[in-house]
Amino acid sequence: MIERREFYINGKWVAPATPRDCAVIDPSNEEVCAIISLGDKADTDAAVAAAKAAFPKWAATPPSERRAAVVRILEQYEKRKEELAQAISMEMGSPLAHARGEQAPCLPWHLKNFLTAFDHIEWVRPLGPHAPNDRIALEPIGVVGLITPWNWPMNQIALKAIPAILAGCTCVLKPSEESPINAMIFAEFCHDAGLPPGVFNLVNGDGMGVGAQLSTHPDVEMISFTGSTRAGRAISKAAAETLKRVTLELGGKGANVIFADADDKAVERGVRHMMDNSGQSCNAPSRMLVERPVYDRAVEIAAKVADEIKVGSAHEEGPHIGPVVNKRQWDQIQGYIQKGIDEGARLIAGGPGLPEGFNRGFYVKPTVFADVKPGMTIEKEEIFGPVLCMIPFETEEEAVQIANDTPYGLTNYVQSQDGARRNRMALRLKSGMVQMNGKSRGAGSPFGGVKASGRAREGGIWGLEEFLEVKAISGWDSAIDMPAE
């Protein structure tokens, strides 16, 4: 069992001001796999003070030096990527192949994309030819609080900490107490990469404690949060008193609109995407809308594919899905499955209870409901588990109406061979992202939503700009050249 009670503050691992042990549970077997400590106000204050003290010098550090520091973080990852994958697998239940192939590699993927975007930033640029003595300067916002979730832990740390550091901000990370070990390994990457003391700090804690303390701290200029819509609302209210910038990446209830002319693999692709990470992704295509002429066949395919998906321990090799993160999450998903049955949806795969052969661990059967009606609980609310809802539609207009009739607006999906239809749908769907015909978004594309999914834009140049302030300057002496960095 791992014991990691210290916090990373001002370049050192330090003991908590008041130890408060928290057990990290391995969701594959329900056993304690690590012990950490939860921070209190004294720990949060110390981390923020370290970040505040380090900010002036780090903000003034030439961009090339900040870039070099981030490249060294990448070098540390390459040395320890297996250790990082093992930690993610253990603490949040991602099977080893998934942790190695999808979870841990989020760090180098986003880091490299941020470096590409960073190289194109003009830190001081002309306003335009109409105003030859005006300049627009980009400056780091200051001390930022980063609050990250357990479901894609390294993905969200990379999308927040890396652009903050590149922008010249200093930061305090509060990772989820459900998956803290991978974050502590990342802190070691930062330390071994030679980041100056105070530039990156980590305090473990829960939302009501360290999370709330960062959200209300007068010396924190910005909060970047990923998590539930409920928690996002609470953070926005808490941060309002100190007029912080708040960026939120929240929940989703994505529609996957499959037209009759979609390719043969569209339904299978949609089911497997839904079940990936045991359904614990905010951008999961959890509502499959299928055009009526091919609906019955789609139901058959979806049931067959879901039944073929294996469930197993995160510690085992192989192409299977693992458990959900904890008992609370398992209970909530079971409640939704029962609600779907009670409200009259047709269960065609999976269902309530543990999968056959399991008597412990937080495993959920890959579950599919057909004939789901708009307005049913499982159609409206984010389940955050391997549960798919299938809904028939008659016309393109009806598909748009059903897809958009949700408080969420993160990712929608379209499957059709008709290019004009795809383009129309992409522009009419109310979401921050639209993915079509199984094509992933390109490197540097922003991740984020609208409505109750939050308004953050993470990744690429947009993700860097979230940590920068714009300063307008007039009367600039254009005869004097600024240094290149």
Side-chain angles (χ1 to χ4, degrees):
M1 184 178 66
I2 298 169
E3 295 189 24
R4 294 291 303 268
R5 293 178 173 87
E6 300 83 9
F7 307 138
Y8 186 70
I9 299 175
N10 204 29
K12 297 179 181 177
W13 290 99
V14 299
T18 304
R20 183 156 61 104
D21 281 1
C22 174
V24 180
I25 306 300
D26 183 335
S28 291
N29 54 30
E30 302 184 43
E31 296 177 359
V32 176
C33 62
I35 298 290
I36 63 167
S37 187
L38 301 181
D40 64 14
K41 189 174 186 300
D43 304 301
T44 305
D45 287 347
V48 172
K52 183 178 180 182
F55 174 69
K57 186 174 181 181
W58 185 246
T61 299
S64 61
E65 292 184 22
R66 301 201 297 267
R67 188 190 197 283
V70 167
V71 170
R72 293 195 297 273
I73 293 174
L74 177 61
E75 293 168 356
Q76 295 303 314
Y77 164 82
E78 292 296 341
K79 294 177 184 177
R80 299 176 62 186
K81 57 187 177 183
E82 176 64 17
E83 180 184 355
L84 183 64
Q86 292 276 351
I88 294 170
S89 178
M90 172 189 71
E91 59 191 349
M92 61 74 58
S94 172
L96 284 168
H98 187 265
R100 292 188 189 112
E102 296 189 46
Q103 289 271 6
C106 289
L107 176 56
W109 169 258
H110 292 307
L111 188 153
K112 292 173 184 177
N113 292 337
F114 279 127
L115 289 177
T116 298
F118 184 79
D119 290 341
H120 291 88
I121 291 179
E122 289 184 78
W123 298 95
V124 179
R125 65 174 182 262
L127 174 63
H130 66 290
N133 298 116
D134 278 41
R135 292 294 182 271
I136 299 297
L138 300 178
E139 299 180 347
I141 193 169
V143 177
V144 297
L146 312 176
I147 304 175
T148 56
W150 48 262
N151 60 319
W152 287 90
M154 190 49 54
N155 182 71
Q156 294 309 129
I157 291 171
L159 282 169
K160 299 182 191 301
I162 297 301
I165 292 166
L166 283 170
C169 297
T170 55
C171 49
V172 180
L173 170 66
K174 188 211 84 66
S176 170
E177 66 275 25
E178 302 283 355
S179 58
I181 304 303
N182 73 95
M184 299 175 87
I185 294 172
F186 179 81
E188 293 172 351
F189 292 172
C190 291
H191 181 85
D192 293 342
L195 281 187
V199 171
F200 176 85
N201 306 272
L202 179 149
V203 179
N204 282 315
D206 55 22
M208 298 297 290
V210 176
Q213 291 153 17
L214 286 173
S215 301
T216 58
H217 202 292
D219 292 331
V220 174
E221 297 290 343
M222 172 182 170
I223 292 289
S224 177
F225 170 78
T226 298
S228 72
T229 298
R230 175 193 54 78
R233 288 192 181 99
I235 286 171
S236 294
K237 292 175 182 177
E241 189 66 29
T242 49
L243 301 176
K244 296 182 189 343
R245 178 182 295 176
V246 178
T247 59
L248 304 173
E249 201 282 285
L250 308 175
K253 193 69 178 177
N256 183 10
V257 183
I258 300 180
F259 288 95
D261 67 342
D263 67 84
D264 293 341
K265 295 293 185 181
V267 174
E268 178 179 355
R269 186 168 62 239
V271 174
R272 294 192 182 281
H273 189 175
M274 178 62 233
M275 304 306 172
D276 183 58
N277 206 39
S278 299
Q280 300 171 119
S281 300
C282 52
N283 62 339
S286 54
R287 296 181 295 153
M288 182 179 284
L289 281 55
V290 184
E291 195 170 9
R292 179 66 75 177
V294 295
Y295 178 73
D296 290 342
R297 177 58 180 152
V299 168
E300 292 176 7
I301 295 170
K304 181 176 183 294
V305 172
D307 285 339
E308 290 173 350
I309 294 174
K310 293 182 172 59
V311 180
S313 169
H315 305 295
E316 295 175 359
E317 301 285 355
H320 58 270
I321 66 171
V324 297
V325 71
N326 57 31
K327 181 65 160 59
R328 182 181 67 254
Q329 192 75 8
W330 190 88
D331 286 342
Q332 179 172 293
I333 295 165
Q334 296 302 312
Y336 277 116
I337 292 172
Q338 189 59 52
K339 194 76 170 177
I341 294 169
D342 294 344
E343 292 186 356
R346 178 160 57 106
L347 182 68
I348 61 170
L354 288 167
E356 186 177 350
F358 291 92
N359 58 16
R360 63 185 317 195
F362 307 125
Y363 300 96
V364 178
K365 300 172 187 175
T367 297
V368 181
F369 284 100
D371 305 345
V372 175
K373 292 180 172 57
M376 284 183 174
T377 302
I378 58 172
E379 191 270 340
K380 291 190 303 182
E381 298 182 13
E382 184 179 37
I383 298 172
F384 225 61
V387 181
L388 175 66
C389 301
M390 298 187 70
I391 306 167
F393 70 88
E394 301 289 349
T395 65
E396 181 178 321
E397 189 67 32
E398 183 187 12
V400 171
Q401 191 277 324
I402 295 171
N404 287 342
D405 188 17
T406 171
Y408 296 105
L410 189 57
T411 314
N412 285 308
Y413 302 82
V414 178
Q415 320 296 329
S416 173
Q417 299 304 306
D418 184 333
R421 173 191 279 156
R422 289 201 311 273
N423 292 353
R424 285 195 307 271
M425 291 291 293
L427 296 176
R428 295 185 68 193
L429 292 170
K430 301 301 183 186
S431 55
M433 299 172 285
V434 179
Q435 294 181 205
M436 301 193 286
N437 285 357
K439 302 296 184 185
S440 298
R441 293 171 298 108
S445 177
F447 187 102
V450 298
K451 302 192 290 185
S453 294
R455 311 268 173 186
R457 291 296 179 271
E458 297 185 321
I461 189 65
W462 296 272
L464 284 162
E465 288 175 346
E466 293 211 326
F467 294 93
L468 295 169
E469 299 271 36
V470 174
K471 177 185 284 183
I473 305 168
S474 62
W476 186 268
D477 189 339
S478 56
I480 299 176
D481 290 331
M482 289 293 295
E485 60 175 25

